[in-house]
Amino acid sequence: PRSTPSLMSSLRALLIAAAAATSGARTVVPQPAALTRLQRLRGGNVLATPPDGFDGAVAAGSKKAAMPADKVFRLGVFSGVHIGFGALLMLTVGGACPGLAESNPGLHKLVLGAFGLPFGLMMTLLSGAELFTGNT
């Protein structure tokens, strides 16, 4: 569902008011030589202010909504392949330690969980692929 402009402007005004109310908080600004480009754009702050974060989320959502359907489909397929590689890694690592499953099943499940989905999600994140569930 699309938001009405009045709702978007009201939410933006609320975020600006919240940022203004908390602007008296103590902030640590790093040395100018150590600032990254993004930090220089934000005036030395490491974190974005709520209005900047809101604007960034709206811009990212608009960019995703404007992508052609075939590109979204290809990126979804790539993401599924990454998740599949994560599942393969999980089964390969988990299958390589059968003694662990008998002696300590909890640790075996932890090893399985630590290698499967996190690997697939990290590959999706690093490659810029799109999960279907991330857009619905």
Side-chain angles (χ1 to χ4, degrees):
R2 296 190 187 272
S3 300
T4 60
S6 61
L7 177 63
M8 298 294 277
S9 58
S10 300
L11 185 55
R12 182 173 169 74
L14 180 65
L15 289 172
I16 290 171
T22 60
S23 64
R26 183 173 169 253
T27 58
V28 177
V29 179
Q31 296 297 321
L35 293 178
T36 66
R37 180 179 163 272
L38 183 60
Q39 289 170 337
R40 282 193 296 272
L41 290 174
R42 292 181 179 161
N45 292 326
V46 176
L47 297 176
T49 61
D52 291 339
F54 178 76
D55 290 339
V58 168
S62 299
K63 182 180 173 185
K64 283 185 178 185
M67 282 195 310
D70 62 332
K71 183 174 182 178
V72 173
F73 180 75
R74 283 194 316 265
L75 290 175
V77 169
F78 289 147
S79 183
V81 169
H82 294 146
I83 300 296
F85 281 147
L88 178 66
L89 179 67
M90 175 192 70
L91 293 174
T92 303
V93 171
C97 48
L100 185 61
E102 295 170 3
S103 65
N104 193 346
L107 182 59
H108 184 254
K109 297 293 183 189
L110 179 68
V111 168
L112 287 175
F115 285 101
L117 188 62
F119 175 79
L121 291 177
M122 186 58 67
M123 291 302 298
T124 296
L125 179 70
L126 292 177
S127 68
E130 295 285 333
L131 281 171
F132 175 76
T133 54
N135 294 320
T136 57

